[in-house]
């Protein structure tokens, strides 16, 4: 009986160690992405949870000005009140990736174009967990 419990405990410890190693690998992978891409992370309801320095540099905001705000703070009010914006979010919530050139409003008020990918992260049951937006550091030629 004791031998079985000890084996079960060791198996659980081995699984925990493997999970911790996998977490370290994923954190390292994401760190590399954040070193080379502007990143915006949002909750399922569009609240900004996190940004990296490259994203903040692109839009001119400080982190404290963005975290907790809705994505619409980065967009023109005419767009955020449109059917297109509602459709954009409806599609994200259902797992559709959006990719293209998006117009945003810089902190100083001027419009900027960002080549971005909005990537919905879905749960195993198909529910939206978060949205990760990757922005190219340099806008491709011809997209300005």
């Amino acid at each position: 009986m004791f031998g079985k419990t000890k084996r079960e405990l060791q198996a659980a410890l081995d699984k925990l160690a493997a999970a911790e190693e996998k977490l370290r690998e994923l954190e390292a992978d994401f760190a590399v992405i954040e070193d080379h891409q502007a990143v915006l992370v949002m909750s399922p309801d569009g609240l900004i949870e996190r940004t990296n320095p490259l994203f903040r540099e692109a839009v001119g905001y400080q982190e404290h000005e963005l975290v907790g705000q809705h994505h619409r703070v980065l967009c023109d009010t005419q767009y955020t009140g449109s059917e297109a914006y509602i459709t954009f979010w409806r599609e994200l919530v259902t797992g559709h990736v959006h990719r293209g050139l998006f117009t945003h409003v810089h902190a100083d008020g001027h419009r900027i174009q960002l080549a971005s990918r909005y990537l919905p992260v879905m749960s195993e049951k198909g529910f939206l967990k978060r949205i990760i937006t990757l922005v190219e550091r340099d806008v491709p030629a011809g997209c300005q």
Side-chain angles (χ1 to χ4, degrees):
M1 179 79 149
F2 178 72
K4 182 178 179 185
T5 303
K6 186 175 179 181
R7 282 191 305 273
E8 290 172 345
L9 180 57
Q10 187 59 52
L13 288 172
D14 291 345
K15 284 183 181 179
L16 178 59
E20 288 173 339
E21 178 60 26
K22 183 65 173 175
L23 180 59
R24 283 190 293 276
E25 289 175 10
L26 291 171
E27 288 172 338
D29 291 350
F30 201 71
V32 168
I33 291 168
E34 284 194 310
D35 286 345
H36 299 280
Q37 295 257 215
V39 178
L40 167 69
V41 179
M42 294 177 284
S43 67
D45 55 0
L47 296 180
I48 298 170
E49 294 180 344
R50 191 162 70 79
T51 63
N52 73 343
L54 294 173
F55 183 83
R56 293 190 299 273
E57 180 182 320
V59 296
Y61 284 92
Q62 298 295 315
E63 185 171 25
H64 72 275
E65 296 174 304
L66 291 174
V67 172
Q69 297 294 317
H70 192 275
H71 173 263
R72 73 177 64 90
V73 74
L74 299 167
C75 302
D76 182 88
T77 55
Q78 185 175 359
Y79 175 59
T80 60
S82 71
E83 185 63 35
Y85 191 69
I86 293 168
T87 300
F88 172 79
W89 278 97
R90 187 177 304 131
E91 290 176 353
L92 282 174
V93 168
T94 57
H96 291 86
V97 171
H98 283 269
R99 171 174 42 165
L101 197 60
F102 295 88
T103 301
H104 292 287
V105 179
H106 191 275
D108 67 12
H110 78 277
R111 291 178 184 201
I112 57 174
Q113 299 271 306
L114 299 176
S116 307
R117 286 171 285 175
Y118 286 78
L119 308 169
V121 179
M122 307 302 283
S123 72
E124 290 179 9
K125 295 184 179 183
F127 296 108
L128 182 64
K129 295 175 72 173
R130 76 186 56 76
I131 299 159
I132 298 175
T133 304
L134 301 177
V135 180
E136 298 297 326
R137 286 181 75 173
D138 301 309
V139 176
C143 290
Q144 298 186 11

